[in-house]
Amino acid sequence: MEKKNKESFGSKFGIIAAAAGSAIGLGNIYRFPCEAGANGGGAFFIVYLAIVLFMGLPLMVTEFVIGRRSGKNPVGAFKSLAPGHKGWARLGYLGVICSFLILAFYCTVAGWTIDAVWKAITNYYHGKDLATVQFGFDSLKEETWQPIICEAVFVFLTAFIIIKGVTKGIEKYSKILMPILLGILIILGIKALTLPGAAEGVKFFLKPDFSKINGTVVVNALGQAFFSLSIGMGILITYGSYIAKNDNLTSTAFSVCICDTIIAILAGIVIFPAAFSFGITPEAGDSLAFVTLPMLFNQMAGGYFFCLFFFVLLTIAALTSSISLLEAPVLYFTEELGISRKKATTYSAIGVFVLCIIASLSLHSDTCLKIGSFSFFNLLDYITATFLMTIGGLLTVIFLGWKMKKEDFYDEFTNDNTVNMRLRKAMYFIIKYISPLAITVILITQFIK
Ligand code: PHE
């Protein structure tokens, strides 16, 4: 296989840090509690875990294999691994489009995070009661300029890091900062669990009520797992193309899944006990993160600093995800269309920003930017996570199982017969039969409904 001479990630820890950086973000701390809260808590959680293990992990391995084998961005990867089957390249385009749509939604939420950093700096939350903090957050969504300015800052930061380049940009920041975020979450968890009434929240989040599991819970858990792990849209194909030849792809993917899942679980352990203690309902959606957490900091010794650190780190976690999202179109424009990196980044960032403005305006209560009861913002979130990413993931496993040569998979998966020899057949079987079947069944049940 002809390979382009590409920069590889400096170390194994570097690629895990970067892929975990893509995975860990607002999806864990903002979106996961929203979904768990809306889908019955424990019932959702158990389904989510099963999906991460049996579908998320194999799909992540699939993307790494395709990426490293081809050494290319998703569009180029599908073209070069299945020559003569032009249609598959469209799967790469799907990922590029999906990145844009997710970014628009993502940068809106990241804008709220930056607003929270500002509120933390100015000690806005100090001494405020629940109703006031809630009112402050609701009014932010009704504002025009404040969210747009925060989004602009975030989009700019993302583009700035991208222009600086892959290893230098991504690796350097994510390595040091994610462990600190983990540390703060643990401290927050301890505090949340000691609040009065916290036990109810723990029960809601961790005690599986199997009677609550239904098609909607499963499809939402599937979407959340793909969103949180950054899979199903070729981003990890791109990352795979940077992984060194002797790295063990399975253990890398496993580490990333574990890190991502631990952060999501911790977010649940912080947010639900605190929310129950303060009287915020689990269906509160956006407020779960953006109202519960400030209220929690208010109760803590050193709350000012915890609040500030936390939201700064959350912004950085969001950045390491958004750079991976923006990297997808940028790499496509540079590798497939021959545009310079700087130009590709600038144009993509402007496109994202325009969509992002529409998304944030669509949250105004008097907006006309909605379809039925769905605002443009919700629509972006719903369409990408529930459909585009899951369909993308489905087609990716089908590609590996049915279009790519089995030997190519084995060579790449085992690093030319040096690792994972016993696992390769089972993994191939899961990727070829189990994953496509499971995803199809879940999607079809939902479509029929
Ligand atoms: N996984 C990221 C998060 O949890 C979001 C993301 C989705 C990043 C899709 C890349 C691709 O925040």
Side-chain angles (χ1 to χ4, degrees):
M1 175 81 28
E2 194 203 334
K3 269 203 86 160
K4 275 198 7 248
N5 226 346
K6 273 187 106 147
E7 246 181 313
S8 287
F9 272 94
S11 63
K12 182 166 171 72
F13 186 64
I15 174 70
I16 295 179
S22 168
I24 296 167
L26 299 169
N28 307 59
I29 286 159
Y30 158 79
R31 199 177 187 279
F32 177 77
C34 287
E35 291 293 311
N39 290 285
F44 176 88
F45 180 54
I46 194 96
V47 176
Y48 178 81
L49 285 185
I51 289 179
V52 167
L53 188 63
F54 295 110
M55 291 189 230
L57 179 67
L59 178 54
M60 195 179 280
V61 169
T62 303
E63 294 201 14
F64 282 162
V65 165
I66 294 177
R68 192 170 70 175
R69 191 75 192 163
S70 64
K72 297 214 166 82
N73 71 76
V75 176
F78 290 117
K79 272 192 200 157
S80 74
L81 291 178
H85 294 89
K86 275 215 186 111
W88 285 97
R90 286 197 207 115
L91 187 48
Y93 298 124
L94 182 75
V96 171
I97 293 168
C98 197
S99 293
F100 270 112
L101 300 181
I102 293 187
L103 268 169
F105 145 84
Y106 207 78
C107 293
T108 307
V109 181
W112 301 340
T113 316
I114 291 193
D115 177 79
V117 170
W118 178 246
K119 287 188 167 132
I121 293 175
T122 54
N123 210 3
Y124 162 89
Y125 296 117
H126 181 73
K128 298 231 165 28
D129 62 6
L130 180 64
T132 318
V133 174
Q134 181 73 59
F135 179 75
F137 180 60
D138 292 341
S139 352
L140 172 68
K141 292 200 261 177
E142 293 290 330
E143 292 257 355
T144 302
W145 289 108
Q146 201 173 332
I148 292 181
I149 291 169
C150 294
E151 287 150 18
V153 171
F154 188 79
V155 175
F156 174 79
L157 287 174
T158 306
F160 179 77
I161 299 173
I162 287 277
I163 290 177
K164 287 188 79 183
V166 171
T167 40
K168 278 184 244 100
I170 305 176
E171 199 176 333
K172 195 164 87 194
Y173 302 108
S174 46
K175 251 191 224 176
I176 323 161
L177 296 166
M178 290 310 105
I180 305 181
L181 180 68
L182 180 75
I184 295 195
L185 276 174
I186 293 175
I187 297 173
L188 288 180
I190 296 171
K191 176 69 196 177
L193 290 174
T194 53
L195 292 172
E200 277 307 303
V202 178
K203 213 165 108 195
F204 171 80
F205 177 49
L206 294 179
K207 192 161 170 241
D209 176 352
F210 292 101
S211 67
K212 282 197 189 143
I213 298 180
N214 56 34
T216 309
V217 170
V218 176
V219 84
N220 288 336
L222 183 72
Q224 173 60 22
F226 281 24
F227 185 90
S228 190
L229 296 172
S230 309
I231 50 182
M233 46 188 292
I235 291 219
L236 296 185
I237 294 185
T238 305
Y239 277 41
S241 74
Y242 293 104
I243 301 182
K245 269 287 169 203
N246 56 353
D247 269 353
N248 183 337
L249 296 181
T250 309
S251 70
T252 302
F254 192 70
S255 311
V256 176
C257 289
I258 293 276
C259 293
D260 187 68
T261 306
I262 287 178
I263 299 278
I265 296 176
L266 275 173
I269 289 184
V270 172
I271 285 180
F272 289 112
F276 273 74
S277 171
F278 302 142
I280 299 171
T281 66
E283 292 87 12
D286 305 333
S287 307
L288 279 175
F290 288 98
V291 175
T292 310
L293 290 172
M295 291 307 295
L296 180 62
F297 295 122
N298 266 347
Q299 311 255 324
M300 293 170 70
Y304 177 84
F305 292 101
F306 275 115
C307 184
L308 183 57
F309 270 138
F310 178 83
F311 282 117
V312 168
L313 286 173
L314 184 57
T315 307
I316 294 167
L319 269 174
T320 55
S321 302
S322 64
I323 46 186
S324 75
L325 279 159
L326 192 60
E327 181 72 31
V330 167
L331 209 60
Y332 166 69
F333 288 138
T334 51
E335 289 190 359
E336 301 296 313
L337 303 183
I339 299 175
S340 80
R341 193 168 170 85
K342 209 167 172 179
K343 269 196 191 143
T345 311
T346 312
Y347 296 152
S348 309
I350 292 174
V352 163
F353 185 51
V354 170
L355 282 180
C356 185
I357 293 177
I358 303 176
S360 92
L361 294 179
S362 80
L363 289 169
H364 290 189
S365 45
D366 57 354
T367 185
C368 55
L369 300 166
K370 52 161 100 179
I371 299 177
S373 59
F374 268 121
S375 61
F376 182 63
F377 172 90
N378 292 125
L379 205 64
L380 286 174
D381 177 28
Y382 183 69
I383 290 183
T384 50
T386 315
F387 294 110
L388 296 186
M389 294 181 82
T390 46
I391 292 173
L394 172 64
L395 294 173
T396 309
V397 280
I398 292 181
F399 176 83
L400 191 145
W402 300 87
K403 282 285 161 225
M404 229 175 108
K405 285 202 214 100
K406 190 172 171 181
E407 293 69 38
D408 281 355
F409 169 78
Y410 280 169
D411 284 350
E412 210 55 52
F413 184 75
T414 61
N415 295 353
D416 292 328
N417 300 327
T418 50
V419 291
N420 295 326
M421 289 304 281
R422 275 202 232 136
L423 204 64
R424 60 182 189 163
K425 283 201 176 133
M427 188 57 97
Y428 191 68
F429 184 80
I430 294 178
I431 293 172
K432 184 162 181 156
Y433 300 104
I434 311 280
S435 300
L437 200 69
I439 301 176
T440 310
V441 170
I442 295 174
L443 285 177
I444 287 183
T445 350
Q446 195 59 11
F447 267 128
I448 291 175
K449 250 184 81 195

